[in-house]
Amino acid sequence: MSNFVETIMADVKAKNQAQPEFHQAVQEVIESLEPVIAQHPEYKEAKILERIIEPERVIMFRVPWVDDQGTVQINRGFRVEFNSAIGPYKGGLRFHPSVTLSILKFLGFEQIFKNSLTTLPMGGGKGGSDFQPKGRSDDEVMRFCQSFMNELFRHIGPNTDIPAGDIGVGGREIGYLFGQYKKLRNAFEGILTGKGLAWGGSLIRPEATGYGTAYFLKEVLNHRKETIDGKTICISGYGNVGCYFIEKANELGAKVVTISDEFGYVHDPEGIKGEKLDYLKDLWTIYRESAEQYAKKFNLKWVPERRPWEVKCDIAVPTATQNEIEKDDALNLVKNGCIAVCEGANMPSSPEAIDVFMQNGIAFGPGKAVNAGGVAVSGLEMSQNSMRFNWSRDEVDAKLHVIMKDIHTSVITAADKYGTPGNYVNGANIAGFIKVANAMMDQGIV
Ligand code: GLU
């Protein structure tokens, strides 16, 4: 670690104790930005880095609700409004027992750069709760969402902060949250994205993160004079990102052979397609079942308590959660001949795993570039809400495709310009940062 990084990190750790995921996300960005700061003393003087790592606002609140047995339950709610230099705060809500301030600060921080890369005017934010929707009835989820919105509604608005989904928050939760906001404010406004099609949602939003990940992967492979056609891919997860990634990867001629959840993985050597993919899409959203059910239904082996990265593949696409690829997993992927890793999830690779990929010449696409298609189509949903008009499926998909290509170009260009050609981590951090930094410079010390 250089002196420059060490000084900033010492301060970040002292001020944000017990936030290891936030430290991890900040360190990666600061390391990438060193050459930028060296060339731009004006950023240093204006303390852009010190300002960008401090959220503009953090809201924490009590979420009380009553379960089906009549027992009072208390959860903790959060919204981290991180940076609004280039647009209103934008980013998802995560409902999962692992949610802490550290997790949401890492996600909100990443979101600043991701949103900047999309080319659309969106600042960075993230929120959520330690609530676990798994195992809860629809009524319980509704009561929880209503209580959550009873506080959140004061802080959001179509020009202020526009949350969306993330882990544990899908169409059902967005519906309950939207209904409660509308009742409290008596206003039908685009305050959330990922809405239902009949009430302000956009076509392609459910598919966007997965499709965008596949489009980005295609660019990465083209850049290496490779093609996606005929490749074998391992993914983790089986949610929204995973399912629509599989759909697009199949269309582009690849074969996806694994899915997983926190309890284990399934290897399906034939590839997940046709009726199997249809079943998988419903597995969580409708049946709310574990990935193990897929193994049972199609007579495949369920491998408990292990990760899919031990299965031989050409490409790995983690679509589940943070730090789900650690050093040993990365070494397994290298040993098995993997040539590219593209992150459909947010920060799924640990820093040690990323080092292994870099040292072994694996093309590594970080989440903030690879999975930006989701929030990009959220941005397009906001545009459509403002126009009070809807684009067709093909129109939105074409815009998404262009955005993902543009992100790839700007990442590669920034990596080249600052002396690390082919380094997608540096390229994404630098390209995302420069736009936000310049906007902050223009707007003065605020
Ligand atoms: N949660 C998604 C992400 O990590 C989407 C956010 C959004 O659409 O605002 O980017």
Side-chain angles (χ1 to χ4, degrees):
M1 224 193 283
S2 72
N3 268 348
F4 166 81
V5 177
E6 221 166 282
T7 314
I8 296 200
M9 285 315 297
D11 197 43
V12 169
K13 286 179 184 165
K15 276 192 185 153
N16 304 279
Q17 288 177 25
Q19 296 182 8
E21 295 83 6
F22 179 56
H23 303 165
Q24 183 183 336
V26 171
Q27 183 160 334
E28 183 208 278
V29 170
I30 303 289
E31 280 174 353
S32 298
L33 293 179
E34 219 176 332
V36 181
I37 302 298
Q39 284 188 33
H40 292 273
E42 70 277 17
Y43 292 158
K44 199 166 186 176
E45 210 164 295
K47 298 228 164 110
I48 293 288
L49 282 186
E50 289 85 340
R51 281 156 61 194
I52 214 168
I53 57 184
E54 196 63 40
E56 290 176 14
R57 189 176 301 105
V58 175
I59 302 144
M60 269 176 73
F61 50 99
R62 180 171 70 198
V63 189
W65 57 284
V66 181
D67 70 17
D68 286 348
Q69 284 68 48
T71 308
V72 177
Q73 300 278 349
I74 318 286
N75 285 96
R76 185 171 281 181
F78 303 85
R79 185 72 183 163
V80 180
E81 297 183 332
F82 225 116
N83 193 295
S84 62
I86 63 166
Y89 310 108
K90 179 83 196 89
L93 296 171
R94 178 176 290 191
F95 291 170
H96 192 267
S98 64
V99 163
T100 58
L101 187 56
S102 173
I103 298 277
L104 295 179
K105 281 179 67 184
F106 115 63
L107 289 163
F109 185 69
E110 294 265 303
Q111 202 83 41
I112 304 171
F113 307 96
K114 183 195 304 194
N115 293 3
S116 165
L117 286 172
T118 65
T119 70
L120 302 172
M122 298 181 289
K126 201 89 186 189
S129 174
D130 56 358
F131 172 70
Q132 170 64 286
K134 200 180 264 182
R136 292 290 177 190
S137 69
D138 286 352
D139 282 350
E140 289 179 316
V141 170
M142 180 177 75
R143 288 195 293 273
F144 173 81
C145 288
Q146 290 174 339
S147 179
F148 188 85
M149 189 52 87
N150 284 345
E151 176 59 36
L152 189 69
F153 87 102
R154 292 175 226 290
H155 309 286
I156 63 175
N159 297 308
T160 310
D161 185 356
I162 305 92
D166 195 82
I167 294 172
V169 179
R172 173 182 62 168
E173 290 75 15
I174 293 291
Y176 294 146
L177 290 163
F178 184 80
Q180 187 69 359
Y181 177 92
K182 184 161 61 66
K183 185 178 170 84
L184 291 166
R185 278 256 193 260
N186 190 26
F188 194 108
E189 308 178 301
I191 43 88
L192 288 162
T193 59
K195 298 185 291 300
L197 279 181
W199 40 280
S202 172
L203 287 160
I204 301 287
R205 178 62 191 88
E207 295 89 337
T209 317
Y211 281 15
T213 297
Y215 293 147
F216 196 91
L217 171 63
K218 198 172 113 194
E219 295 302 310
V220 169
L221 294 172
N222 283 351
H223 195 68
R224 293 217 157 188
K225 313 263 175 293
E226 287 269 2
T227 57
I228 189 167
D229 189 29
K231 296 287 187 297
T232 298
I233 305 179
C234 281
I235 76 161
S236 59
Y238 66 105
N240 200 41
V241 186
C243 287
Y244 289 108
F245 171 77
I246 298 175
E247 183 168 282
K248 189 54 78 176
N250 287 345
E251 215 177 290
L252 297 171
K255 183 165 85 168
V256 179
V257 296
T258 60
I259 51 159
S260 72
D261 62 21
E262 55 204 290
F263 307 110
Y265 77 85
V266 194
H267 181 201
D268 186 349
E270 306 272 283
I272 301 163
K273 50 183 184 289
E275 59 149 333
K276 285 176 166 176
L277 180 57
D278 292 340
Y279 173 76
L280 189 65
K281 281 183 186 166
D282 292 344
L283 196 53
W284 173 248
T285 42
I286 297 184
Y287 308 121
R288 308 214 175 259
E289 294 276 10
S290 151
E292 189 176 358
Q293 287 307 314
Y294 180 95
K296 285 203 176 122
K297 175 141 179 105
F298 300 111
N299 281 323
L300 294 156
K301 199 169 135 211
W302 172 248
V303 187
E305 279 157 46
R306 298 188 73 89
R307 292 169 171 170
W309 317 124
E310 58 191 20
V311 173
K312 189 171 165 46
C313 63
D314 303 308
I315 294 157
V317 177
T319 76
T321 196
Q322 64 275 351
N323 294 324
E324 54 163 322
I325 303 185
E326 291 177 296
K327 187 174 179 182
D328 286 347
D329 304 309
L331 289 169
N332 267 337
L333 288 168
V334 170
K335 188 181 75 196
N336 285 333
C338 173
I339 59 164
V341 176
C342 275
E343 296 186 330
N346 290 317
M347 209 170 76
S349 312
S350 73
E352 298 74 26
I354 298 176
D355 287 344
V356 170
F357 298 145
M358 300 283 185
Q359 284 153 11
N360 288 280
I362 288 188
F364 173 70
K368 58 173 85 70
V370 175
N371 71 41
V375 73
V377 175
S378 277
L380 301 178
E381 182 172 327
M382 289 162 65
S383 307
Q384 293 169 83
N385 291 166
S386 298
M387 290 189 293
R388 301 192 185 284
F389 185 73
N390 293 317
W391 289 317
S392 69
R393 212 184 145 77
D394 287 348
E395 280 171 306
V396 181
D397 194 28
K399 288 185 204 301
L400 169 65
H401 204 161
V402 170
I403 288 172
M404 296 315 296
K405 279 188 170 181
D406 286 351
I407 295 176
H408 186 269
T409 307
S410 62
V411 169
I412 284 293
T413 309
D416 268 354
K417 183 168 171 204
Y418 286 93
T420 49
N423 185 325
Y424 286 88
V425 174
N426 287 350
N429 289 332
I430 294 170
F433 170 78
I434 287 179
K435 185 165 139 192
V436 178
N438 289 341
M440 288 172 75
M441 294 293 292
D442 291 346
Q443 293 167 22
I445 314 291
V446 285

PDB file of all heavy atoms in Angstrom, residues 90-92 111 114 126 164-166 193 205 346 374-375 378, ligand 1:
ATOM      1  N   LYS A  90     -29.794   7.450  -6.174  1.00  0.00           N
ATOM      2  CA  LYS A  90     -30.442   6.330  -6.861  1.00  0.00           C
ATOM      3  C   LYS A  90     -29.728   5.060  -6.476  1.00  0.00           C
ATOM      4  O   LYS A  90     -28.495   4.979  -6.518  1.00  0.00           O
ATOM      5  CB  LYS A  90     -30.341   6.540  -8.390  1.00  0.00           C
ATOM      6  CG  LYS A  90     -30.977   5.417  -9.192  1.00  0.00           C
ATOM      7  CD  LYS A  90     -32.454   5.614  -9.319  1.00  0.00           C
ATOM      8  CE  LYS A  90     -33.199   4.357  -9.755  1.00  0.00           C
ATOM      9  NZ  LYS A  90     -33.627   3.494  -8.610  1.00  0.00           N
ATOM     10  N   GLY A  91     -30.497   4.051  -6.104  1.00  0.00           N
ATOM     11  CA  GLY A  91     -29.908   2.761  -5.760  1.00  0.00           C
ATOM     12  C   GLY A  91     -30.942   1.919  -5.035  1.00  0.00           C
ATOM     13  O   GLY A  91     -31.962   2.433  -4.571  1.00  0.00           O
ATOM     14  N   GLY A  92     -30.671   0.638  -4.947  1.00  0.00           N
ATOM     15  CA  GLY A  92     -31.677  -0.304  -4.467  1.00  0.00           C
ATOM     16  C   GLY A  92     -31.864  -0.337  -2.959  1.00  0.00           C
ATOM     17  O   GLY A  92     -31.182   0.336  -2.191  1.00  0.00           O
ATOM     18  N   GLN A 111     -22.314   2.416  -5.804  1.00  0.00           N
ATOM     19  CA  GLN A 111     -23.393   2.903  -6.662  1.00  0.00           C
ATOM     20  C   GLN A 111     -23.055   4.268  -7.279  1.00  0.00           C
ATOM     21  O   GLN A 111     -23.477   4.567  -8.395  1.00  0.00           O
ATOM     22  CB  GLN A 111     -24.686   2.992  -5.842  1.00  0.00           C
ATOM     23  CG  GLN A 111     -25.958   2.967  -6.663  1.00  0.00           C
ATOM     24  CD  GLN A 111     -26.415   1.567  -7.037  1.00  0.00           C
ATOM     25  OE1 GLN A 111     -26.348   0.653  -6.221  1.00  0.00           O
ATOM     26  NE2 GLN A 111     -26.880   1.387  -8.261  1.00  0.00           N
ATOM     27  N   LYS A 114     -20.945   3.390 -10.313  1.00  0.00           N
ATOM     28  CA  LYS A 114     -21.748   2.608 -11.253  1.00  0.00           C
ATOM     29  C   LYS A 114     -22.727   3.517 -11.991  1.00  0.00           C
ATOM     30  O   LYS A 114     -22.828   3.496 -13.214  1.00  0.00           O
ATOM     31  CB  LYS A 114     -22.522   1.525 -10.479  1.00  0.00           C
ATOM     32  CG  LYS A 114     -23.330   0.593 -11.347  1.00  0.00           C
ATOM     33  CD  LYS A 114     -24.352  -0.216 -10.563  1.00  0.00           C
ATOM     34  CE  LYS A 114     -23.769  -1.027  -9.443  1.00  0.00           C
ATOM     35  NZ  LYS A 114     -24.725  -2.041  -8.925  1.00  0.00           N
ATOM     36  N   LYS A 126     -28.179   3.866  -1.331  1.00  0.00           N
ATOM     37  CA  LYS A 126     -28.586   2.469  -1.086  1.00  0.00           C
ATOM     38  C   LYS A 126     -29.320   2.418   0.239  1.00  0.00           C
ATOM     39  O   LYS A 126     -29.081   3.248   1.117  1.00  0.00           O
ATOM     40  CB  LYS A 126     -27.347   1.571  -1.003  1.00  0.00           C
ATOM     41  CG  LYS A 126     -27.647   0.120  -1.264  1.00  0.00           C
ATOM     42  CD  LYS A 126     -27.540  -0.185  -2.732  1.00  0.00           C
ATOM     43  CE  LYS A 126     -27.971  -1.568  -3.099  1.00  0.00           C
ATOM     44  NZ  LYS A 126     -27.627  -1.861  -4.502  1.00  0.00           N
ATOM     45  N   ALA A 164     -34.970   1.325  -5.385  1.00  0.00           N
ATOM     46  CA  ALA A 164     -35.381   0.239  -6.293  1.00  0.00           C
ATOM     47  C   ALA A 164     -35.182  -1.061  -5.522  1.00  0.00           C
ATOM     48  O   ALA A 164     -35.045  -1.040  -4.302  1.00  0.00           O
ATOM     49  CB  ALA A 164     -34.513   0.264  -7.542  1.00  0.00           C
ATOM     50  N   GLY A 165     -35.138  -2.175  -6.244  1.00  0.00           N
ATOM     51  CA  GLY A 165     -34.932  -3.469  -5.591  1.00  0.00           C
ATOM     52  C   GLY A 165     -33.456  -3.820  -5.468  1.00  0.00           C
ATOM     53  O   GLY A 165     -32.580  -3.167  -6.026  1.00  0.00           O
ATOM     54  N   ASP A 166     -33.197  -4.829  -4.704  1.00  0.00           N
ATOM     55  CA  ASP A 166     -31.877  -5.474  -4.597  1.00  0.00           C
ATOM     56  C   ASP A 166     -32.190  -6.843  -3.977  1.00  0.00           C
ATOM     57  O   ASP A 166     -33.347  -7.299  -4.055  1.00  0.00           O
ATOM     58  CB  ASP A 166     -30.925  -4.626  -3.728  1.00  0.00           C
ATOM     59  CG  ASP A 166     -29.455  -5.037  -3.881  1.00  0.00           C
ATOM     60  OD1 ASP A 166     -28.814  -4.601  -4.845  1.00  0.00           O
ATOM     61  OD2 ASP A 166     -28.944  -5.808  -3.043  1.00  0.00           O
ATOM     62  N   THR A 193     -38.158   2.538  -8.707  1.00  0.00           N
ATOM     63  CA  THR A 193     -38.110   1.869 -10.011  1.00  0.00           C
ATOM     64  C   THR A 193     -38.196   0.367  -9.793  1.00  0.00           C
ATOM     65  O   THR A 193     -38.023  -0.117  -8.682  1.00  0.00           O
ATOM     66  CB  THR A 193     -36.844   2.245 -10.815  1.00  0.00           C
ATOM     67  OG1 THR A 193     -35.696   1.880 -10.037  1.00  0.00           O
ATOM     68  CG2 THR A 193     -36.812   3.726 -11.139  1.00  0.00           C
ATOM     69  N   ARG A 205     -37.008  -3.886 -17.441  1.00  0.00           N
ATOM     70  CA  ARG A 205     -36.343  -3.646 -16.145  1.00  0.00           C
ATOM     71  C   ARG A 205     -36.031  -4.952 -15.418  1.00  0.00           C
ATOM     72  O   ARG A 205     -34.915  -5.122 -14.899  1.00  0.00           O
ATOM     73  CB  ARG A 205     -37.163  -2.681 -15.246  1.00  0.00           C
ATOM     74  CG  ARG A 205     -36.509  -2.444 -13.855  1.00  0.00           C
ATOM     75  CD  ARG A 205     -35.144  -1.798 -13.974  1.00  0.00           C
ATOM     76  NE  ARG A 205     -34.348  -1.759 -12.743  1.00  0.00           N
ATOM     77  CZ  ARG A 205     -33.526  -2.709 -12.312  1.00  0.00           C
ATOM     78  NH1 ARG A 205     -33.416  -3.857 -12.983  1.00  0.00           N
ATOM     79  NH2 ARG A 205     -32.822  -2.554 -11.226  1.00  0.00           N
ATOM     80  N   ASN A 346     -22.808  -7.405  -6.637  1.00  0.00           N
ATOM     81  CA  ASN A 346     -21.990  -6.302  -6.168  1.00  0.00           C
ATOM     82  C   ASN A 346     -20.852  -6.798  -5.276  1.00  0.00           C
ATOM     83  O   ASN A 346     -21.111  -7.444  -4.259  1.00  0.00           O
ATOM     84  CB  ASN A 346     -22.860  -5.301  -5.399  1.00  0.00           C
ATOM     85  CG  ASN A 346     -23.806  -4.563  -6.335  1.00  0.00           C
ATOM     86  OD1 ASN A 346     -23.422  -4.140  -7.422  1.00  0.00           O
ATOM     87  ND2 ASN A 346     -25.069  -4.429  -5.932  1.00  0.00           N
ATOM     88  N   GLY A 374     -28.828  -2.836 -14.768  1.00  0.00           N
ATOM     89  CA  GLY A 374     -30.039  -2.783 -13.939  1.00  0.00           C
ATOM     90  C   GLY A 374     -30.403  -1.355 -13.603  1.00  0.00           C
ATOM     91  O   GLY A 374     -31.509  -0.877 -13.894  1.00  0.00           O
ATOM     92  N   VAL A 375     -29.440  -0.645 -13.037  1.00  0.00           N
ATOM     93  CA  VAL A 375     -29.740   0.736 -12.654  1.00  0.00           C
ATOM     94  C   VAL A 375     -29.880   1.612 -13.906  1.00  0.00           C
ATOM     95  O   VAL A 375     -30.624   2.601 -13.887  1.00  0.00           O
ATOM     96  CB  VAL A 375     -28.696   1.266 -11.643  1.00  0.00           C
ATOM     97  CG1 VAL A 375     -27.362   1.555 -12.286  1.00  0.00           C
ATOM     98  CG2 VAL A 375     -29.231   2.497 -10.934  1.00  0.00           C
ATOM     99  N   SER A 378     -33.320   1.371 -14.776  1.00  0.00           N
ATOM    100  CA  SER A 378     -34.047   2.161 -13.777  1.00  0.00           C
ATOM    101  C   SER A 378     -34.045   3.628 -14.202  1.00  0.00           C
ATOM    102  O   SER A 378     -35.052   4.330 -14.087  1.00  0.00           O
ATOM    103  CB  SER A 378     -33.385   2.046 -12.402  1.00  0.00           C
ATOM    104  OG  SER A 378     -33.801   0.877 -11.743  1.00  0.00           O
TER     105      SER A 378
HETATM  106  N1  GLU B   1     -29.833  -2.892  -6.847  1.00  0.00           N
HETATM  107  C1  GLU B   1     -29.409  -2.672  -8.196  1.00  0.00           C
HETATM  108  C2  GLU B   1     -27.930  -2.307  -8.220  1.00  0.00           C
HETATM  109  O1  GLU B   1     -27.187  -2.815  -7.419  1.00  0.00           O
HETATM  110  C3  GLU B   1     -30.317  -1.717  -8.951  1.00  0.00           C
HETATM  111  C4  GLU B   1     -30.436  -0.354  -8.370  1.00  0.00           C
HETATM  112  C5  GLU B   1     -31.486   0.518  -9.065  1.00  0.00           C
HETATM  113  O2  GLU B   1     -32.080   0.094 -10.040  1.00  0.00           O
HETATM  114  O3  GLU B   1     -31.646   1.641  -8.589  1.00  0.00           O
HETATM  115  O4  GLU B   1     -27.449  -1.579  -9.042  1.00  0.00           O
END
